[in-house]
Amino acid sequence: LTGAGPAPDFMAMLRSILLLACVAAATAFVPAGLPLTGARGSRRSLSINMGKTVAQKRVILDQLEKRLETSTLIFSTEMNKITVKDITELRSSLPEGSNAICVKNTLMKKASSGTPWEVCKDLASESNLWFFVDEDVKGTIKSFKDWKKATNKKDQEIKGGVLEGAVYDSKGVEAIGDLPSKQELYAMIAGSVKGVGSKLASTLKECPTKTARAIKLAVAPDA
């Protein structure tokens, strides 16, 4: 991976994959976070701005903080070349548990302050469309790439993202999207366990035969 900091080694990447699987199981018990409108709220695109009163600002900030708490990955793309229609099409393609949200940089910095997401301040410049991903990291990044291709927006790149407190550039985020999904990870684990079980069963099956041979040799008279 290519990131702003040192590239994670294989074990660090494996820990990230396992974290995704754990978070996937936990998200079923976590509140959805930001109140969304529309028929399919978990896919809706929001525009989050600071309220006029102190109370309004606190409520909005709390909502964004909760959204960050349930996220596994966040990444952004600049908005200066995309329209409302583009955003609508993009949000409709996102998998469940992923949001595309327009957030002001000042609000994003405040919501992430003091958390592992705080490093996103390095990406908080210009106007950003932020993606908050609960579980389906691979599917969300694929949706972005498919949308980019379908709308012929060759220059619309992922600006960067944050995973486990580390900032990644565009290539780094795309590389994260190439990691096995939760379902693929489960299949890999299940296959490995099954393989070990088969070998163990085969070994145990051979044990009585080998033991019998050893006993026979032990008690046989000398030639």
Side-chain angles (χ1 to χ4, degrees), residues 1-9 13 16 163 168-179:
L1 294 179
T2 304
D9 57 21
M13 191 60 67
S16 297
L163 175 68
Y168 295 89
D169 61 11
S170 178
K171 291 182 178 179
V173 174
E174 290 184 3
I176 291 171
D178 291 333
L179 294 173

Side-chain angles (χ1 to χ4, degrees), residues 192-207:
S192 299
V193 172
K194 184 178 180 181
V196 172
S198 298
K199 291 180 180 179
L200 179 61
S202 178
T203 301
L204 292 175
K205 186 177 180 180
E206 293 177 359
C207 282

